[in-house]
Amino acid sequence: MPFHLRFRLLAPAVLFAATACATARPAVIGIPALKHTEADVHFMTGMIHHHAQAVLIAGWAPSHGASAELQRLCERIVVGQTDEIDLMQNWLRSKGAPVPAATAGPMKMTMAGGMQHDVMMPGMLNDDEVKTLDAARGPEFDRLFLLGMIKHHEGAITMVEELLGAPGAAQDETVFRFSSDVVADQTTEIRVMKQMLAARGHAVPQ
């Protein structure tokens, strides 16, 4: 077949292929293509409740006679962790996962068979500890808050360690960055809170 006839026959197919290539979305590759896991969803869900308790008790500082130094730390916790709660809720929503309200209580876990159980995240204060802190004022509030928040922050770091121990977890870019920030920020705040306890003449937990 003469070349000019073969060209006329092939031209529509070539044009269709070129148009399809021009309009098709590029394949997602690299870090954005990494998938999230159930461990990621569990971590983000549990951390919402964990952060909510931190925001609750840190918000008491002005009304419970906390020192100016502690009030500055508490303001940092309230602002920073409120923003992070929004981030976690938006991430869960984007993945089509249930989005819990930011309540300072246990996380609802659905077990095999559909039964639901309440699970407190590591380091969270129990009901008696929360009531005792709420009843304290002035220097005693400072002491109890610092002790409680050191334990609370250490629990958050434990949650990150558990996340990183799960196969395939924390490959999602948002989860990786957020969990890294939790370790960095809360390690720094633990060091600061221990210094504040020592400066007040209290025993410092190891």
Side-chain angles (χ1 to χ4, degrees):
M1 180 184 294
F3 175 76
H4 71 281
L5 290 178
R6 280 187 289 165
F7 178 79
R8 289 178 61 183
L9 290 172
L10 290 174
V14 172
L15 179 61
F16 174 80
T19 303
C21 289
T23 58
R25 289 185 175 182
V28 178
I29 59 175
I31 289 176
L34 297 174
K35 303 297 184 183
H36 70 284
T37 66
E38 284 300 313
D40 295 331
V41 172
H42 176 85
F43 171 77
M44 297 294 252
T45 302
M47 194 61 85
I48 288 173
H49 298 290
H50 200 272
H51 271 31
Q53 186 179 71
V55 170
L56 171 69
I57 63 177
W60 290 342
S63 60
H64 287 54
S67 64
E69 183 184 25
L70 184 62
Q71 288 196 38
R72 286 193 294 274
L73 173 66
C74 287
E75 184 178 3
R76 170 190 165 107
I77 291 172
V78 169
V79 172
Q81 298 205 12
T82 298
D83 287 346
E84 290 176 346
I85 287 172
D86 289 341
L87 179 147
M88 290 184 281
Q89 290 177 324
N90 288 332
W91 183 87
L92 288 168
R93 192 172 295 113
S94 74
K95 302 303 180 188
V99 181
T103 55
M107 179 177 77
K108 298 287 185 186
M109 277 193 68
T110 302
M111 312 301 285
M115 293 288 291
Q116 281 201 332
H117 293 275
D118 291 343
V119 178
M120 291 292 282
M121 296 295 101
M124 288 182 71
L125 279 61
N126 62 36
D127 289 345
D128 288 341
E129 291 171 325
V130 171
K131 289 176 183 175
T132 301
L133 178 63
D134 191 16
R137 295 292 185 274
E140 181 63 2
F141 179 85
D142 280 19
R143 185 182 73 83
L144 291 176
F145 179 89
L146 291 168
L147 288 172
M149 193 56 75
I150 288 171
K151 181 182 78 163
H152 199 273
H153 277 19
E154 289 173 340
I157 294 172
T158 297
M159 291 174 66
V160 173
E161 292 171 347
E162 291 174 349
L163 170 72
L164 298 179
Q171 300 300 306
D172 176 277
E173 187 172 11
T174 299
V175 175
F176 174 76
R177 289 180 182 275
F178 170 62
S179 60
S180 299
D181 288 346
V182 166
V183 173
D185 292 346
Q186 303 206 10
T187 297
T188 298
E189 289 178 355
I190 287 170
R191 175 175 51 78
V192 170
M193 289 188 286
K194 286 184 175 181
Q195 291 171 346
M196 292 170 70
L197 272 175
R200 288 161 172 75
H202 301 306
V204 178
Q206 299 303 311

